[in-house]
Amino acid sequence: MQSNLKQLSLADIYTDIDEYFQQDKPKLIKLFDQYIDLSELIPQSFINHYYASTGHPRDYKLSSMLTALIVKMILSVADISLLINILNLSSELKTLCGFSRVPNASQFSRLKIDFEADFLQFFNNLVDLTEPICKRLSPELAAILVADTTGIEGYVKENNPKAFDSVMRNTKKFSKNIPSFNAHSYACSQMPKESVANTDIKLSYINGHYCYSKKVALVTNGLGIIRHIDFYNSDNSIDIADTLSGAEHKDDYDSKSLIPVLNNFFSYHPDFKYIYFLGDAGFDALENYKYLYKDYNIIPIIPLNPRGSKGIGKPKINENGIPTCPSDNSLPMIFDGPSKEKGRSLRLKWLCPKSKKKTIKGKTTYILSCESPCTTSPCGRMHHTNVNDNYRLNTVIPRGSDKWIHLYKKRTIIERTNFMVKFPMGLGYTKLRNTVSLKVEVILAAITQQIVILIADKLDKKSHLLSIKSLIA
């Protein structure tokens, strides 16, 4: 009788471990204990800085402190005091971390504040280690770069959701008879632009609501695995009160942040190569298209943003940047592929919407069904757009095409990564307000995700692995 069992693939293993991260954290901690030796992963520079920063021996090993912080992320513990209580109550976790006695809260806090750059270097080293694993997981998804911005709300008194909503409601109530009055701008002008406790925590529009947060840009691959974290801040040049809405303010920030963020990313990982970039309409800016396509040969998959399309300039171009029939703007022309002739730059070929290309007896023939054609050509009107003329409108993969839609649907993976960082890892309800501490918490969340990938790789290298559950039963 033939067995129904089959050896697990790396993708199957990663799926199972990711499920444990979401629903069965004790099993993930057991796998972490069995397969990860942090002392082998910590950069030597981090070790040197940690042990050289004081004139006396350290009370706790660096690997022990980092293990405790990773366990904190896995268990979704938002407060370091709660982690300390858990470690004091659990001899197993205390042994896992290598503690004979548990450090106090100030020791964890000083570690994060004193070694921010080393935490970032640790993360970037792990990204280099996990990149080949991602390519084995899915070469197609590993070749996709996805970016988005979010914010980590600080534990400050201004983060009372009722405060802004109350101002906004009253403003709309008193200005309802004045159509030209900008209620959003006025309401923002009545709110402090930054927190009194920390001026780095600013009034922001995050996930559909106003709050005071520290902005962060996340860059993932198509698997949703974080490749880069950036705290680029362009808010000094963008006043939220100068925009018509919070969403427009976020779009302005996104459009200006992409190039600096990716410049930093490629400076850390100059050998990384990608085929596609996926981003929402907030990244719709001509400079971003040119940067991606011309400088890095990455095909941008970004929808047009209505705020940047008012002066599009060509009356025969629709909202997706696709040429339309000269006689009927509601009929988009048909994409007929790229055309690159010797000595000429890349052009895109478009056919009349009422023309069909068929192969008859081995020859390509065009059949025109238009009753009043705008040209004497038997194949109907043809149009070429030059990618170099306008990187934003003349995209290599036309907006609205099946391939464009298929790729853009994958962008939602970064929304799930944002959610994972904020809730399963506890950053959504942190009680921190210090800038460096908030940054390191985000970096620790990304480090924890890389650890999950490394566990999957270790398991994949075990011979005849048929079930993860049997390993941790």
Side-chain angles (χ1 to χ4, degrees), residues 156-359:
V156 294
K157 68 176 184 179
E158 291 87 355
N159 262 332
N160 180 348
K162 296 180 180 179
F164 184 87
D165 291 342
S166 176
V167 173
M168 191 67 171
R169 274 197 312 272
N170 289 333
T171 302
K172 287 182 176 179
K173 179 180 177 181
F174 291 115
S175 64
K176 61 183 179 181
N177 296 323
I178 312 174
S180 61
F181 186 80
N182 187 338
H184 167 267
S185 179
Y186 179 80
C188 287
S189 70
Q190 301 305 300
M191 300 292 293
K193 302 301 179 293
E194 56 198 26
S195 170
V196 173
N198 182 353
T199 56
D200 288 334
I201 299 176
K202 301 180 184 295
L203 178 61
S204 312
Y205 184 78
I206 302 294
N207 297 334
H209 72 284
Y210 293 89
C211 63
Y212 288 80
S213 68
K214 176 61 184 172
K215 288 283 189 69
V216 56
L218 293 181
V219 179
T220 76
N221 56 24
L223 292 158
I225 299 167
I226 299 172
R227 304 288 81 193
H228 182 61
I229 301 167
D230 209 291
F231 300 94
Y232 170 76
N233 183 13
S234 68
D235 280 346
N236 292 333
S237 60
I238 305 174
D239 189 343
I240 194 170
D242 291 338
T243 57
L244 295 175
S245 66
E248 183 176 311
H249 174 262
K250 184 180 184 301
D251 286 349
D252 286 343
Y253 175 85
D254 288 357
S255 66
K256 293 184 178 181
S257 66
L258 181 62
I259 293 176
V261 166
L262 292 186
N263 276 338
N264 289 338
F265 171 57
F266 286 116
S267 71
Y268 288 123
H269 312 285
D271 297 328
F272 284 14
K273 304 293 182 186
Y274 297 91
I275 299 174
Y276 304 108
F277 171 84
L278 311 184
D280 63 21
F283 295 106
D284 175 36
L286 180 60
E287 297 79 8
N288 293 338
Y289 292 91
K290 186 176 180 181
Y291 171 85
L292 290 164
Y293 185 71
K294 188 176 181 181
D295 295 354
Y296 285 95
N297 200 29
I298 297 174
I299 298 173
I301 305 295
I302 306 170
L304 288 176
N305 193 322
R307 67 171 169 79
S309 303
K310 295 172 184 175
I312 210 164
K314 294 182 179 180
K316 302 298 183 183
I317 298 290
N318 70 10
E319 68 277 6
N320 287 325
I322 296 175
T324 60
C325 171
S327 302
D328 186 351
N329 290 343
S330 67
L331 296 176
M333 298 185 80
I334 301 169
F335 180 59
D336 195 38
S339 173
K340 191 168 185 181
E341 302 167 18
K342 188 176 181 180
R344 301 188 69 170
S345 59
L346 179 64
R347 298 189 303 162
L348 306 180
K349 183 180 178 183
W350 304 88
L351 299 178
C352 170
K354 294 187 177 182
S355 175
K356 289 187 178 181
K357 186 167 73 170
K358 291 189 176 182
T359 302

Side-chain angles (χ1 to χ4, degrees), residues 446-460:
I447 287 173
T448 304
Q449 191 192 40
Q450 309 308 307
I451 296 293
V452 171
I453 300 297
L454 291 174
I455 292 173
D457 182 55
K458 297 271 188 179
L459 289 170
D460 184 53

Side-chain angles (χ1 to χ4, degrees), residues 14 127 130-135 137-147 218-228 265 272-274 276 278 410-414 417 449-450 453:
Y14 175 66
V127 170
T130 56
E131 183 68 7
I133 303 172
C134 292
K135 290 179 179 177
L137 263 170
S138 173
E140 177 194 359
L141 296 177
I144 295 174
L145 204 60
V146 193
L218 293 181
V219 179
T220 76
N221 56 24
L223 292 158
I225 299 167
I226 299 172
R227 304 288 81 193
H228 182 61
F265 171 57
F272 284 14
K273 304 293 182 186
Y274 297 91
Y276 304 108
L278 311 184
K410 300 182 186 301
R411 193 203 69 82
T412 57
I413 191 68
I414 200 166
T417 301
Q449 191 192 40
Q450 309 308 307
I453 300 297

